[in-house]
Amino acid sequence: MIYKPLDRVARKILSCHAREFPDLRGVTILLPNNHVAQPLAQALGAVSKSIVLLPKMVTLNEWAQDVPLDMAVLPDCQRSTLLYQHLRRQQWFENADLWRMAQELLKLFDELTHSLHALPGDAESFAATVQQAYQARQNSALQLEARLVFELWHAMQSGEEQDAARAYQQRLARIAKQADSPLYVLRASEWDALEQRFLEEYAQRAAVTVFDLREMERRSGVPRFFAATSLEQEAGAAAMQVRLWLQAGKRDIAIVAQDRVVARRMRALLERAGVLVADETGWTFATLSVSTVLDRWLTALQSDFYHHDLLDLLKSPYIFADMTAGERKSAVYQLEQLLRKHGVVAGLEKFMALAEHEVALHRPLARLRQAAALLEQNKKKTLAEWLAALRESLNVLGIDAGLQQDDAGQQLLRALETWQQELSGDAGGYRYTEWRRWLAQQLDIETFRDSSIDSTVRFTHLAATRWRAFDAVLLLGCDADHLPGAANGGRWFNDAVRFALNLPTRSTHAARQRDDLLALLAMNDCVLATWQKDQQGEARLLSPYLQILRDEYEQAHGDDLAERELHAYLASEHAYNAALPQSAQPVPSVATEIVPASVSISAYNSLVACPYQFYARHILRLNELDEVREVIEKRDYGDRVHMILQRFHERYPQVSGNDMAEMDAALRRISEEAFADLLARDFAARAWLARWYKSLPAYLEWQAENEAQGWRYSEAESKFDWQLEGVRLRGRIDRLDIRADEKLVLDYKTQSEQVLRNKLKEPGEDVQLACYAYAHEAADAAFVSIENGKVKRVEPRHDVPLLAQLNAGRLEQLMQNIRSGAGLPANGIDAVCMHCEVRGVCRKGEWQ
């Protein structure tokens, strides 16, 4: 394919070197990126209509890297540690993230080095140039931040170490000094000051011809525009457009992503449709799952293996890669069950003691202890020592074996090894937390590029599109917040500091983005720009660069360039999906042999509230796992109230006739004993105990009144297992009182009287009291409300023996229906569904 701007470049080069033709190897062409090399070579061949010995085509950075230097280059990570140690010693910035600040300062230092007016070719001339710049600034008025940056830069350049910025500068100086062949330059936007000085010095010795796309292509292409109403719609529209382009025969498709969040979602939609996307931009390791396992491991270690952190770590697919997947899952499941059952919050040694009889857990927990011993948190170490300990711990945990099975994991391991080698000469000592912040920053800087995907659909960025032509271009996320995007600016050192130091500011970065955008439009005719016109109810504007183009075109041609066909395609796809069979309300039936032979009171309540809930909980056994309780919850409080009253009445079956002050004191002693373990681990337990103490006088008063009516405490926490026709009903009552031949079942509740009355409003809705009464052949049953310093007996308004008989009969009939194949529909009311843990299984929102 021949592209007109490259065609013109080819004609110019061929006409200037007609004598040397077809041998152009003495010519050098400076490219904005390597992707331009192939189409330019094709243009040279097509224009000449002959075989051409191609010129040297190279980017400026690659050209510079080929120049040898006499001195080794100091790695950036080592520069960062030197600067960090200096900032730490000076204590200028309290509570600042010094690692991040050091990184920001190094970027400014490199720009200051590149902004020098001369192009020094060796260490001696560089030192002289730096000193000259320093002297020029000595008497100028600089704000505090700018002065600090400048002084630190000057101090760091005074050393003998050669950093990457200085090395780049010297290499360019050597190339310019040895210039002996014509140079052609392809440009689409302004060059940096350093690169411009290089061209000027090169031009003093050899011919330099610049092809500036901004001057060559006066016309600007006009994209179509798609205004989305949500992230999901924008990603869906973008994915749909790529698929339409592919169907139309377009192959070389560029996705210029300004919004990486939308890009992630779009990529997922394309992969679901079978379209793979190559990525020229890459992702930082901090965003990848391979670095997540490092973070989980170090976080678990730092939190003394807090149970959430430990389980997150063990559920990573990378840990214990030398075990089978089944062994890993089984070990994690066993440990999780133990932790939740016994409520152990943290502490590896506690977990090991807990798993004493679980053989499958011995080896994994021992490996965790061995790996933890390698990373001693209470000692200072060099960064290289911390990295060595980390890599050894990853080996012990089998994480390195897991990472080796992943392309990104392999690159991550190589990066850890490289950093360790580069920092071997750094003798500074760092605490564990300092090292972790350093590592997090390194992972946020280092980029992973997946080279395993070979696709003509690719993600790229605006600067990488210079002088490139595609079959189609998708500009993704083109709202004003993302285009122009923020420069890699500073958190501490803003545009005012940059302006004072004569460095490029945000406006410079924005102008370069505008030029790159216009150059892209000049090279490409098929372009779609998408953006979200509103987000969470707030209007969002289109990029001002694109809005100007759109307004000018609409004024001249009466067309607002809105992409309407794509809206129609999306509407058609939505209608098609809506016509597909939708999820229906689940109504499963159960084989006779797996129908439970016995049910608990809570299971019966579940069956009445929602048959599908009963099916999921008690037939599929999908009960929600208990949480490891770190703070006292109301159910803990309720459990302790039950325990206290059971112990109290076992010692004092009757309070009447006893001194009430003694009864109060005894009840308080028992309460202290029952709350002792909670008080030991959670100070908040005192608030719950105080809440209970508030109800003690009222409870003793209520108990005395109950006894005055002739009722006497008989037993508490009594289990029952009652055989009905075709099913057994089991449970446990809180308390049974007797009066001559009468029985009264009581159920303690730490809820208000009104809440309990609402439960009993409709007969049969709550089966608890009726079933308790039936099991103990009691004529009466009631809740005992203990809440907010009040104690009330709440009785059903309906005949209890009749309710008991009806509930027993209903259970027998329901279980017979289930055995006969009756369905179990998900028909719970909203109040039931609100707190139902199996709602995600019935998917009520999908079919309702």
Side-chain angles (χ1 to χ4, degrees):
M1 184 179 293
I2 299 175
Y3 311 113
K4 290 182 179 178
L6 292 180
D7 216 13
R8 294 171 61 184
V9 170
R11 291 184 186 281
K12 176 68 174 177
I13 294 174
L14 289 169
S15 66
C16 291
H17 298 278
R19 287 185 182 180
E20 296 93 336
F21 184 83
D23 189 353
L24 300 181
R25 289 177 296 178
V27 175
T28 300
I29 305 177
L30 208 53
L31 305 176
N33 55 72
N34 283 319
H35 300 284
V36 183
Q38 184 178 352
L40 179 54
Q42 291 173 343
L44 287 168
V47 171
S48 66
K49 298 179 181 178
S50 174
I51 296 175
V52 180
L53 295 176
L54 294 173
K56 177 178 182 177
M57 293 186 281
V58 67
T59 66
L60 188 56
N61 185 62
E62 288 176 339
W63 198 5
Q65 294 306 315
D66 287 339
V67 177
L69 292 177
D70 302 328
M71 190 183 302
V73 177
L74 189 70
D76 281 346
C77 61
Q78 197 167 337
R79 295 172 66 209
S80 177
T81 60
L82 291 171
L83 183 55
Y84 176 87
Q85 291 171 40
H86 181 74
L87 294 173
R88 186 173 62 178
R89 282 194 302 272
Q90 297 301 326
Q91 297 183 343
W92 289 327
F93 305 95
E94 287 189 32
N95 303 320
D97 183 348
L98 296 185
W99 284 120
R100 187 169 177 179
M101 180 178 286
Q103 194 66 31
E104 190 175 320
L105 281 168
L106 288 178
K107 186 175 185 300
L108 289 172
F109 293 169
D110 290 346
E111 292 186 47
L112 280 168
T113 298
H114 288 171
S115 69
L116 292 173
H117 295 297
L119 195 63
D122 54 42
E124 186 176 337
S125 57
F126 176 80
T129 305
V130 169
Q131 191 60 29
Q132 183 181 358
Y134 183 70
Q135 293 297 332
R137 285 284 185 181
Q138 275 291 82
N139 299 320
S140 61
L142 292 177
Q143 66 184 77
L144 177 63
E145 292 89 344
R147 174 63 64 187
L148 172 67
V149 172
F150 191 73
E151 293 290 345
L152 284 172
W153 169 76
H154 177 254
M156 288 200 74
Q157 301 310 318
S158 301
E160 295 182 358
E161 299 87 356
Q162 181 161 256
D163 56 47
R166 192 194 306 185
Y168 184 55
Q169 192 177 54
Q170 291 183 20
R171 284 173 167 139
L172 291 184
R174 293 189 183 186
I175 293 173
K177 188 176 181 180
Q178 298 167 4
D180 60 358
S181 62
L183 177 64
Y184 295 90
V185 182
L186 273 60
R187 184 163 71 177
S189 55
E190 287 300 319
W191 284 65
D192 292 335
L194 171 63
E195 294 161 342
Q196 188 60 46
R197 284 195 303 278
F198 161 76
L199 289 181
E200 291 168 359
E201 292 206 13
Y202 194 101
Q204 293 175 11
R205 298 173 178 83
V208 175
T209 304
V210 177
F211 297 100
D212 195 326
L213 195 58
R214 294 170 296 178
E215 299 172 0
M216 295 172 64
E217 287 293 315
R218 294 293 182 184
R219 74 172 185 87
S220 176
V222 284
R224 308 298 294 184
F225 295 92
F226 183 92
T229 56
S230 66
L231 183 152
E232 189 66 25
Q233 189 188 43
E234 183 179 9
M240 170 68 80
Q241 182 62 75
V242 170
R243 289 160 53 200
L244 290 172
W245 280 334
L246 289 171
Q247 287 178 5
K250 298 183 185 297
R251 288 293 172 263
D252 195 7
I253 300 172
I255 304 167
V256 184
Q258 308 298 324
D259 187 335
R260 297 291 277 176
V261 178
V262 179
R264 277 183 177 273
R265 180 58 183 149
M266 176 196 179
R267 182 174 194 159
L269 293 174
L270 285 173
E271 288 180 351
R272 184 186 300 172
V275 179
L276 295 180
V277 184
D279 194 345
E280 296 176 358
T281 305
W283 302 85
T284 64
F285 274 100
T287 64
L288 303 179
S289 60
V290 291
S291 64
T292 302
V293 69
L294 298 191
D295 182 67
R296 288 179 181 177
W297 161 229
L298 298 175
T299 299
L301 184 63
Q302 192 169 350
S303 66
D304 190 23
F305 294 94
Y306 173 64
H307 67 282
H308 279 309
D309 296 334
L310 176 59
L311 291 173
D312 281 347
L313 170 65
L314 295 179
K315 290 175 183 178
S316 167
Y318 298 105
I319 194 170
F320 301 137
D322 49 356
M323 298 169 61
T324 66
E327 289 173 334
R328 289 201 306 272
K329 289 178 181 178
S330 176
V332 174
Y333 177 78
Q334 288 183 49
L335 181 61
E336 187 166 13
Q337 292 293 324
L338 279 175
L339 300 188
R340 295 183 187 280
K341 179 179 179 181
H342 296 279
V344 180
V345 176
L348 186 58
E349 296 301 324
K350 293 179 183 177
F351 298 150
M352 295 187 77
L354 197 64
E356 182 181 1
H357 302 296
E358 302 291 340
V359 178
L361 294 178
H362 291 178
R363 179 61 179 149
L365 292 176
R367 292 172 73 174
L368 285 167
R369 180 163 62 181
Q370 181 185 352
L374 296 168
L375 289 160
E376 301 170 279
Q377 298 180 65
N378 57 351
K379 289 186 178 181
K380 280 190 174 184
K381 298 180 182 179
T382 67
L383 294 180
E385 288 171 342
W386 280 119
L387 286 168
L390 171 63
R391 292 177 63 202
E392 194 174 347
S393 72
L394 297 181
N395 181 54
V396 170
L397 295 174
I399 293 176
D400 60 346
L403 294 177
Q404 287 287 1
Q405 299 169 21
D406 184 283
D407 288 341
Q410 292 174 19
Q411 288 193 31
L412 176 58
L413 291 174
R414 285 197 294 272
L416 293 175
E417 183 179 6
T418 300
W419 296 333
Q420 184 183 339
Q421 292 171 353
E422 291 178 346
L423 292 167
S424 58
D426 175 45
Y430 304 87
R431 297 186 302 274
Y432 178 82
T433 52
E434 289 180 292
W435 167 67
R436 275 207 69 187
R437 286 196 295 272
W438 172 85
L439 181 62
Q441 178 170 277
Q442 290 298 112
L443 294 173
D444 203 32
I445 296 171
E446 194 78 10
T447 301
F448 165 71
R449 290 181 176 84
D450 189 352
S451 57
S452 64
I453 297 177
D454 183 16
S455 174
T456 57
V457 181
R458 71 199 72 196
F459 282 123
T460 189
H461 55 95
L462 203 51
T465 64
R466 293 168 186 165
W467 281 84
R468 295 172 70 181
F470 304 93
D471 290 345
V473 176
L474 180 66
L475 292 168
L476 192 67
C478 294
D479 55 84
D481 292 336
H482 289 95
L483 184 64
N488 295 323
R491 178 177 173 183
W492 290 278
F493 309 105
N494 55 22
D495 259 12
V497 175
R498 288 178 160 275
F499 182 79
L501 295 171
N502 292 327
L503 295 178
T505 59
R506 185 184 299 269
S507 61
T508 311
H509 175 75
R512 187 168 292 158
Q513 281 193 301
R514 181 200 61 219
D515 289 345
D516 287 338
L517 175 64
L518 295 178
L520 174 65
L521 295 176
M523 292 283 292
N524 295 274
D525 294 325
C526 182
V527 181
L528 174 70
T530 70
W531 89 101
Q532 295 170 56
K533 66 179 181 181
D534 55 62
Q535 189 176 57
Q536 297 178 345
E538 293 188 9
R540 300 177 82 194
L541 300 176
L542 179 63
S543 163
Y545 305 149
L546 291 170
Q547 189 65 57
I548 291 171
L549 289 176
R550 189 178 191 182
D551 290 345
E552 289 176 348
Y553 192 89
E554 185 175 14
Q555 189 173 11
H557 303 281
D559 181 1
D560 65 358
L561 299 171
E563 176 51 65
R564 295 179 177 84
E565 281 190 22
L566 188 54
H567 276 288
Y569 275 112
L570 289 172
S572 176
E573 184 177 57
H574 178 74
Y576 173 78
N577 289 334
L580 293 174
Q582 301 299 304
S583 299
Q585 178 185 18
V587 188
S589 57
V590 182
T592 304
E593 60 269 17
I594 63 171
V595 175
S598 69
V599 295
S600 64
I601 298 293
S602 63
Y604 185 14
N605 247 336
S606 180
L607 180 59
V608 172
C610 174
Y612 188 85
Q613 185 188 82
F614 170 83
Y615 168 75
R617 282 181 179 174
H618 302 285
I619 295 178
L620 297 183
R621 301 190 181 280
L622 298 180
N623 292 302
E624 190 175 32
L625 288 172
D626 291 331
E627 288 294 327
V628 176
R629 291 192 288 241
E630 302 173 54
V631 295
I632 308 303
E633 298 176 359
K634 189 167 184 181
R635 61 174 171 171
D636 298 302
Y637 169 66
D639 291 343
R640 298 309 155 117
V641 168
H642 281 68
M643 182 192 304
I644 291 164
L645 294 178
Q646 180 188 6
R647 292 180 183 178
F648 175 74
H649 286 297
E650 284 175 351
R651 297 183 195 177
Y652 305 97
Q654 186 173 339
V655 300
S656 304
N658 291 304
D659 182 77
M660 280 300 172
E662 290 183 10
M663 293 294 96
D664 185 273
L667 193 49
R668 286 177 183 272
R669 281 195 305 273
I670 293 170
S671 300
E672 283 278 356
E673 293 169 3
F675 271 84
D677 62 323
L678 299 180
L679 292 169
R681 77 168 194 256
D682 188 352
F683 184 79
R686 296 195 172 278
W688 290 104
L689 182 58
R691 179 175 177 173
W692 165 238
Y693 280 162
K694 186 178 179 180
S695 298
L696 292 195
Y699 180 79
L700 291 172
E701 182 181 343
W702 172 83
Q703 176 62 23
E705 290 176 1
N706 193 52
E707 291 174 5
Q709 295 172 18
W711 293 106
R712 295 293 181 269
Y713 171 83
S714 174
E715 57 187 90
E717 299 299 321
S718 303
K719 292 183 181 180
F720 64 86
D721 194 336
W722 196 269
Q723 182 65 53
L724 303 177
E725 185 179 341
V727 64
R728 291 200 320 277
L729 181 65
R730 65 182 189 279
R732 185 201 314 258
I733 66 162
D734 288 349
R735 172 172 162 178
L736 179 67
D737 281 12
I738 57 174
R739 183 172 63 187
D741 294 333
E742 297 178 86
K743 293 180 181 179
L744 169 64
V745 172
L746 298 174
D747 192 51
Y748 301 126
K749 295 290 185 185
T750 54
Q751 295 173 302
S752 69
E753 179 184 5
Q754 188 57 50
V755 168
L756 297 175
R757 291 202 184 281
N758 290 340
K759 272 190 174 188
L760 299 175
K761 187 179 295 184
E762 294 294 331
E765 282 298 309
D766 189 283
V767 305
Q768 197 170 13
L769 286 180
C771 288
Y772 287 160
Y774 185 88
H776 286 271
E777 299 178 323
D780 292 294
F783 291 129
V784 179
S785 167
I786 306 173
E787 179 72 357
N788 199 26
K790 299 176 182 177
V791 179
K792 299 283 185 180
R793 194 164 94 183
V794 182
E795 299 172 299
R797 292 181 300 172
H798 308 89
D799 182 78
V800 171
L802 178 59
L803 277 178
Q805 286 292 339
L806 291 174
N807 270 286
R810 179 173 62 177
L811 176 60
E812 291 171 342
Q813 185 61 52
L814 287 172
M815 297 307 291
Q816 176 57 41
N817 292 345
I818 294 172
R819 283 192 295 272
S820 300
L824 296 166
N827 60 9
I829 60 174
D830 289 342
V832 171
C833 296
M834 187 180 300
H835 303 292
C836 179
E837 73 274 16
V838 299
R839 180 165 181 165
V841 183
C842 83
R843 304 184 71 177
K844 185 174 182 178
E846 296 290 322
W847 49 262
Q848 190 175 38

